[in-house]
Amino acid sequence: MFARRVMVVGTGYVGLTTGACLASLGHEVVCADIDTAKVERLRRGVVDIVEPGLSELVSEQTSAGRLSFVVGNSAALASFEEGRSPEVVFLCVPTPMGAGGVADLRAVESVMEEVGASLAPGTVVVNKSTVPVGTAERTAEMLERADIGVVSNPEFLREGSAVKDFLGPDRIVVGSDNQDAAERVAALYARLGAPTVLTDAASAELMKYAANCFLAMKLSYVNAMAELCERVGADIADVTEGIGYDRRIGQAFLSPGPGWGGSCLPKDTHALLQVADAADFEFRLLRATIDTNTRQRQRIVDKVRLAVTGKRTGSLSRVRLCLLGLTFKAGTDDLRDSPALAIAALLRQAGAELVGFDPAFVDGPEALKFRDGEPAPSEVEGVPLAADAVSAAQGAEAVLVLTEWAQFRSLDWSVMAAAMKRPIVVDTRNVVDPATLRRAGLTAVGLGRRTDFGEE
Ligand code: UGA
């Protein structure tokens, strides 16, 4: 394996994981960011995002001398010794989809303007972020340098397991119209021994959307199936287990929930719809995937309404509800496009009084170390936060479990029951054992479960 000299532009979620993981594979990595305070924190080993193993990896690779952080792209480029300029430059900057499916490539453009002319001949420029189809082509046009290859190398990291996903990928995708550049990027990952798909740039770019939209479709399908289970008296856990043994389907990504969210699936499904619209293709399946997800939030509110009032049209006005989990999934502090917050907003509109608890937002020894010493917030988007689950449940007419934190499963539910005004738990992730809830004197309402109809 040849260690390569790598520059990473942007130390956001993707850039930092890429930089630290490539360093751990033996490459010499310099990460550039315009945020001076952030670079200083990173040099001290302080990582602002919750990501298991990432801060350890950053500290380890920084101490090993393979990873460094520099303020500004020109300075980062200049930090490489004379004659040892970077062989590969990863662009990990925001590339949002603008109106009409057109890529907003201002961030890429400004990086290219700043350092494009100074890159050594033969350097490879890589787009790692999720980018609209055509970005590699446009990056090459901006560069105006035939001696530099542009490659699309989408990442498939999940928040909460980014380091594990990077170092144990299902596949590496490398797309370019320059074969030599593509092979050089693929070689960076050779030690991982993952299947590698070498393709053209547009296919690599589309592949990322195709993967995320397929995952979203899988989840909307499961959520719809859970609803059908309720109507016909079947159990979604058994149904998904049974279909999951079919290797063409697989067991992963089949858990019903309050709807899919986060910074990727919602954005990418809408982006692909725009791509389809721009290509004059009516992608009905994808539209239905999104609509099913939007409806899922209302469905949870309807479930709460029925559980609390006994009526489909009952009023939630002044009903106190406890929300366990506000982030878009467990294991992260990320609130972007969180289904829990969307449901909270609908409940508030219906007049409910909300108190939340989330293990991502607590102080003390249990706290996730992402705020660099700052205290936990006292509220999240208008939902006041309690310091623990029992305090949040005080006087509640129902507890809603909205993310799948393991802590929720092992809560002392009889203590929770004693704190609550009425004994109702709506578990939108099916994570807490219904029998445990029942033993604690609580009524369990989940998604698509036979046990909710009184059977064990
Ligand atoms: C997603 C993809 O899974 C990654 O492969 C991709 O690289 C990433 O987007 C990206 O484009 O950067 P992520 O946004 O971290 O990763 O979140 P997921 O773990 O995929 O979860 C997405 C949503 O689906 C969450 O709201 C989660 O709670 C929900 N979900 C997931 C379920 O409701 N059920 C499941 O079985 C799995």
Side-chain angles (χ1 to χ4, degrees):
M1 207 267 320
F2 291 103
R4 294 291 179 200
R5 295 182 300 278
V6 175
M7 176 167 147
V8 177
V9 178
T11 60
Y13 184 76
V14 173
L16 188 58
T17 309
T18 302
C21 290
L22 285 177
S24 80
L25 293 177
H27 304 295
E28 181 192 327
V29 183
V30 175
C31 294
D33 204 291
I34 46 170
D35 183 339
T36 310
K38 187 174 185 186
V39 167
E40 268 160 23
R41 284 200 297 279
L42 287 169
R43 284 180 180 153
R44 285 189 280 125
V46 177
V47 172
D48 294 340
I49 42 180
V50 179
E51 200 51 61
L54 186 57
S55 54
E56 291 83 346
L57 203 62
V58 167
S59 304
E60 182 190 301
Q61 295 306 318
T62 308
S63 312
R66 281 189 290 269
L67 179 65
S68 55
F69 299 94
V70 174
V71 181
N73 303 322
S74 309
L77 195 57
S79 75
F80 287 85
E81 284 167 29
E82 186 74 32
R84 299 188 80 252
S85 56
E87 295 152 284
V88 184
V89 175
F90 279 90
L91 302 179
C92 301
V93 291
T95 46
M97 176 82 84
V102 179
D104 176 354
L105 292 183
R106 277 174 295 183
V108 172
E109 205 166 358
S110 86
V111 178
M112 290 300 103
E113 265 169 23
E114 194 183 344
V115 296
S118 320
L119 297 175
T123 308
V124 180
V125 170
V126 187
N127 270 316
K128 188 80 180 149
S129 318
T130 305
V131 290
V133 181
T135 299
E137 199 183 329
R138 285 189 54 200
T139 308
E141 282 163 14
M142 280 174 214
L143 256 170
E144 290 183 318
R145 290 200 41 187
D147 58 341
I148 288 184
V150 177
V151 170
S152 163
N153 170 218
E155 54 79 20
F156 297 96
L157 316 173
R158 281 165 303 170
E159 284 191 29
S161 57
V163 172
K164 210 166 116 241
D165 289 347
F166 193 102
L167 297 174
D170 289 341
R171 76 309 210 177
I172 302 286
V173 174
V174 184
S176 181
D177 303 326
N178 177 330
Q179 178 85 9
D180 178 56
E183 282 170 11
R184 281 204 280 150
V185 172
L188 292 174
Y189 302 95
R191 263 182 65 185
L192 299 176
T196 301
V197 181
L198 281 178
T199 180
D200 58 274
S203 301
E205 287 161 349
L206 189 60
M207 210 178 298
K208 176 60 194 270
Y209 291 107
N212 273 359
C213 293
F214 189 86
L215 292 171
M217 190 178 70
K218 203 172 176 188
L219 292 177
S220 279
Y221 181 82
V222 166
N223 284 334
M225 195 54 72
E227 185 168 355
L228 186 58
C229 283
E230 286 168 21
R231 290 179 189 225
V232 301
D235 195 304
I236 191 67
D238 293 348
V239 171
T240 50
E241 187 191 354
I243 63 171
Y245 282 121
D246 186 328
R247 273 168 294 173
R248 293 169 302 174
I249 296 172
Q251 297 283 357
F253 238 72
L254 286 182
S255 305
W260 37 270
S263 63
C264 305
L265 266 45
K267 171 175 71 63
D268 292 353
T269 41
H270 282 102
L272 191 59
L273 258 194
Q274 286 195 338
V275 169
D277 281 349
D280 207 15
F281 173 60
E282 175 59 49
F283 205 152
R284 289 205 177 89
L285 187 58
L286 186 55
R287 206 175 286 282
T289 297
I290 296 169
D291 291 347
T292 303
N293 197 48
T294 309
R295 191 174 160 268
Q296 184 69 359
R297 294 152 185 202
Q298 187 57 51
R299 192 167 105 74
I300 301 295
V301 172
D302 293 345
K303 251 178 192 293
V304 173
R305 192 189 297 279
L306 185 61
V308 170
T309 69
K311 291 190 226 104
R312 289 191 192 282
T313 53
S315 168
L316 287 175
S317 177
R318 309 187 73 128
V319 169
R320 189 180 171 95
L321 299 170
C322 160
L323 310 184
L324 296 185
L326 295 166
T327 53
F328 83 95
K329 64 175 183 181
T332 176
D333 61 325
D334 197 335
L335 294 161
R336 283 177 289 176
D337 247 312
S338 167
L341 290 180
I343 289 165
L346 290 173
L347 289 169
R348 223 187 354 239
Q349 264 170 33
E353 288 167 11
L354 310 176
V355 182
F357 168 70
D358 194 304
F361 304 113
V362 291
D363 286 326
E366 301 273 291
L368 293 167
K369 307 259 178 291
F370 65 92
R371 291 185 304 270
D372 196 17
E374 281 173 38
S378 58
E379 55 117 42
V380 165
E381 293 199 12
V383 180
L385 290 180
D388 55 62
V390 176
S391 316
Q394 208 68 47
E397 300 208 29
V399 168
L400 277 70
V401 179
L402 292 165
T403 58
E404 71 281 27
W405 286 97
Q407 285 97 319
F408 299 156
R409 205 170 291 143
S410 55
L411 278 174
D412 188 334
W413 281 97
S414 26
V415 176
M416 290 287 283
M420 293 164 69
K421 185 170 167 196
R422 293 181 55 211
I424 298 164
V425 175
V426 180
D427 181 359
T428 71
R429 300 272 184 173
N430 288 358
V431 281
V432 189
D433 176 28
T436 305
L437 294 178
R438 238 169 270 138
R439 274 196 301 276
L442 294 161
T443 304
V445 179
L447 294 187
R449 288 196 310 210
R450 202 168 39 227
T451 46
D452 298 335
F453 302 103
E455 289 175 45
E456 285 283 337

